[in-house]
């Protein structure tokens, strides 16, 4: 067995006093871990709209500055697959504890480093390069945070409750958004513009490091337990070489990357893009919309929870396909609601989060179930990286560029393309399964 780190050994000793970890323990670890990751990303996403265009790109008009900020936003999703390759090698050589410790330390450090970012007035164009570097490192680190806990959770799932178990990891996304939005809304509402841009916007980035420390120990407590180690050693959660996994499961990688594209495209269409549109093209302050976003995310949590029993009744692939059809219909009219004032914005956000919860809630379960047990650990990580990159990474940039050029109705084009990709991928997968 690979050499383990001191942190991993200490955590195993702590966990050994509690015997085997239950499915409930795993669920808590999964939610804490995913919440920390999404919080880090949402902190940057919000700042990319209301902070970085002014601090880093002040020589451009607000729309162009936000587009540049969104281009840097996409860097993390490009970096993420490279992080998976790097940290899978660390996993094989030094163990899961070492991998998670390094990855989460890098994630927290790169996020906190953004809090010390100098402005354009201080260092000129170097500010943009520093922002790009920290964002790239953030994505690289996220590729290493895959701990296999969703796979372990799936292995615990009874045959008739797989949908319920599959939705648990997805709860971290709306929870992370609620925390990040609430923090920014508080500082925007209670600080003067001068104080906010001087120091207030930096505080959520400091919080990220503390959350990552909590998440690290919550996850280490589980991944180094005898139960997890036994599954790891037996090959069920073994980090196989990516080249070997692709040669064996290449079709599942492609299908897994494109099957959840509708929900992943919708993800940033209801979290990042609408904030940018309201901030740039209306006279309303960002704090009010951040509150709408946080409240709407509660509907997303309820929809994710509901996706579990619904998927167990109709099937995860059927739910994902139905969700893609609904998202396609949503793309045809909903973006225009963002010009409808508070009522229109609220309707857009609530409807969007309900659709997101129902489809996103089962996206990881569909991906993981396609792989053999031997390749599930590595295959799930790689396909998730690719799905995020193709589906979500460029969504805010593409949507804002289209909407700013052709109007809000054009923003739905990106969303429609994601829905089409999902339906095509599911159809190809169905044909292949029938042929097999």
């Amino acid at each position: 067995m690979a050499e383990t780190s001191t942190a991993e050994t200490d955590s195993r000793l702590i966990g050994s006093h509690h015997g085997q970890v239950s499915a409930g323990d795993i669920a808590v670890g999964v939610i804490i871990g995913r919440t920390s990751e999404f919080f880090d990303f949402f902190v940057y996403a919000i700042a990319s709209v209301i902070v970085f265009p002014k601090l880093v790109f002040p020589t451009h008009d607000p729309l162009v500055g936000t587009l540049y900020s969104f281009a840097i936003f996409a860097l993390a999703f490009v970096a993420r697959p490279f992080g998976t390759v790097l940290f899978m090698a660390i996993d094989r050589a030094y163990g899961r504890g070492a991998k998670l410790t390094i990855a989460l330390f890098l994630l927290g450090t790169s996020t906190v480093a953004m809090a010390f970012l100098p402005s354009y007035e201080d260092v000129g164009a170097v500010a943009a390069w520093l922002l790009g570097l920290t964002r790239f490192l953030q994505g690289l680190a996220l590729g290493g945070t895959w701990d296999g806990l969703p796979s372990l959770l799936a292995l615990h799932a009874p045959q008739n409750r797989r949908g319920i178990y599959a939705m648990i990891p997805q709860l971290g996304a709306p929870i992370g958004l609620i925390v990040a939005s609430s923090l920014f809304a508080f500082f925007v509402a209670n600080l003067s513009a001068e104080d906010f841009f001087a120091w207030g916007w930096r505080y959520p980035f400091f919080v990220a490091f503390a959350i990552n420390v909590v998440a690290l120990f919550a996850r280490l407590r589980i991944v180094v337990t005898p139960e997890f180690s036994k599954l790891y050693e037996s090959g069920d959660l073994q980090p196989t070489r990516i080249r070997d996994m692709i040669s064996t499961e290449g079709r599942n990688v492609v299908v897994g990357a494109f099957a959840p594209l509708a929900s992943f495209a919708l993800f940033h269409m209801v979290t990042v893009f609408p904030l940018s549109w309201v901030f740039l093209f209306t006279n309303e302050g960002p704090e009010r919309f951040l509150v709408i976003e946080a409240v709407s995310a509660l509907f997303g949590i309820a929809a994710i929870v509901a996706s579990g029993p619904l998927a167990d009744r109709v099937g995860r692939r059927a739910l994902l396909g139905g969700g893609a059809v609904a998202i396609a219909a949503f793309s045809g009219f909903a973006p225009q609601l963002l010009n409808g004032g508070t009522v229109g914005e609220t309707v857009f956000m609530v409807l969007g989060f309900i659709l997101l919860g129902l489809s996103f809630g089962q996206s990881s379960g569909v991906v993981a179930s396609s792989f053999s047990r031997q390749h599930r650990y590595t295959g799930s990580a790689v396909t998730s990286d690719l799905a995020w990159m193709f589906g979500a990474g460029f969504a805010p940039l593409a949507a804002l560029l289209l909407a700013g050029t052709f109007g809000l109705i054009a923003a739905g084009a990106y969303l429609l393309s994601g829905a089409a990709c999902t339906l095509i991928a599911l159809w190809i997968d169905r044909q292949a399964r029938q042929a097999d």
Side-chain angles (χ1 to χ4, degrees):
M1 182 179 177
E3 178 185 354
T4 55
S5 67
T6 302
E8 185 175 351
T9 304
D10 292 344
S11 296
R12 181 182 290 115
L13 292 174
I14 294 172
S16 65
H17 294 294
H18 301 281
Q20 292 189 334
V21 176
S22 67
D25 292 326
I26 300 169
V28 171
V30 167
I31 293 173
I32 291 175
R34 296 302 173 269
T35 298
S36 71
E37 294 165 12
F38 281 109
F39 175 80
D40 286 8
F41 264 55
F42 282 127
V43 163
Y44 175 86
I46 295 171
S48 70
V49 174
I50 65 178
V51 177
F52 297 143
K54 181 178 176 65
L55 253 64
V56 182
F57 304 106
T59 58
H60 301 278
D61 68 69
L63 174 59
V64 174
T66 305
L67 289 172
Y68 281 142
S69 188
F70 280 167
I72 295 177
F73 175 86
L75 274 179
F77 296 91
V78 175
R80 186 169 169 172
F82 295 99
T84 293
V85 173
L86 171 65
F87 283 99
M88 283 291 177
I90 294 175
D91 195 338
R92 292 193 299 270
Y94 301 105
R96 303 169 307 288
K99 170 192 153 181
L100 280 177
T101 301
I102 295 170
L104 285 173
F105 181 79
L106 178 60
L107 179 61
T109 302
S110 57
T111 303
V112 128
M114 293 177 183
F116 296 99
L117 184 74
S119 68
Y120 181 89
E121 293 182 358
D122 296 326
V123 296
V126 174
W129 287 100
L130 291 174
L131 181 61
L133 175 62
T134 53
R135 181 63 177 167
F136 184 87
L137 291 175
Q138 203 181 37
L140 199 70
L142 190 63
T145 58
W146 178 248
D147 49 23
L149 289 180
S151 297
L152 183 60
L153 196 61
L155 294 174
H156 278 75
Q159 182 71 25
N160 62 340
R161 301 187 69 190
R162 289 181 175 177
I164 293 176
Y165 279 65
M167 66 83 183
I168 291 174
Q170 311 302 78
L171 292 170
I175 295 173
L177 175 63
I178 289 170
V179 178
S181 297
S182 300
L183 268 177
F184 269 103
F186 175 81
F187 284 106
V188 171
N190 291 281
L191 295 177
S192 65
E194 182 180 353
D195 286 340
F196 176 77
F197 284 103
W199 62 269
W201 71 269
R202 302 176 189 271
Y203 183 79
F205 288 88
F206 291 119
V207 174
F209 192 84
I211 291 178
N212 281 335
V213 170
V214 174
L216 172 62
F217 283 98
R219 295 158 92 168
L220 283 179
R221 177 180 174 271
I222 296 171
V223 301
V224 299
T225 56
E227 182 181 28
F228 190 96
S229 298
K230 183 178 179 181
L231 287 169
Y232 181 88
E233 293 165 5
S234 70
D236 290 334
L237 295 176
Q238 185 76 26
T240 56
R241 294 186 180 277
I242 293 178
R243 180 179 57 189
D244 297 338
M245 182 275 296
I246 292 177
S247 66
T248 305
E249 309 256 10
R251 186 188 79 190
N252 288 331
V253 171
V254 174
V255 172
F258 287 94
L261 227 59
S263 61
F264 282 26
L266 180 61
F267 188 90
H268 282 151
M269 284 292 290
V270 298
T271 57
V272 183
F273 165 70
L275 177 62
S276 68
W277 180 267
V278 170
F279 187 67
L280 290 170
F281 295 101
T282 73
N283 295 320
E284 301 164 2
E287 67 276 8
R288 184 193 56 80
F289 190 80
L290 286 169
V291 172
I292 292 176
E293 198 167 54
V295 173
S296 300
L298 294 174
F299 287 87
I301 292 176
I304 289 174
V305 172
S307 76
L310 187 58
D312 288 329
R313 179 178 293 271
V314 303
R316 282 177 291 186
R317 283 176 173 77
L319 182 59
L320 205 59
V325 172
I327 289 170
F330 181 79
S331 71
F333 73 91
Q336 297 175 86
L337 292 171
L338 290 175
N339 275 341
T342 301
V343 174
E345 292 163 8
T346 302
V347 171
F348 173 85
M349 295 298 290
V350 170
L351 284 178
F353 267 103
I354 290 173
L355 284 179
L356 177 65
L358 292 174
S359 56
F360 181 69
Q362 295 301 310
S363 60
S364 67
V366 171
V367 170
S369 64
S370 300
F371 292 96
S372 63
R373 290 167 72 102
Q374 179 185 358
H375 293 295
R376 178 175 289 186
Y377 182 85
T378 303
S380 295
V382 171
T383 53
S384 179
D385 291 345
L386 296 176
W388 278 112
M389 182 173 68
F390 292 129
F394 298 93
L397 176 63
L400 184 59
L401 184 60
L402 288 169
T405 306
F406 303 107
L408 268 174
I409 188 64
Y414 188 90
L415 199 52
L416 182 61
S417 68
C421 286
T422 289
L423 293 173
I424 292 171
L426 290 174
W427 179 81
I428 291 174
D429 183 53
R430 180 181 178 183
Q431 296 300 111
R433 285 173 178 272
Q434 290 176 347
D436 291 341

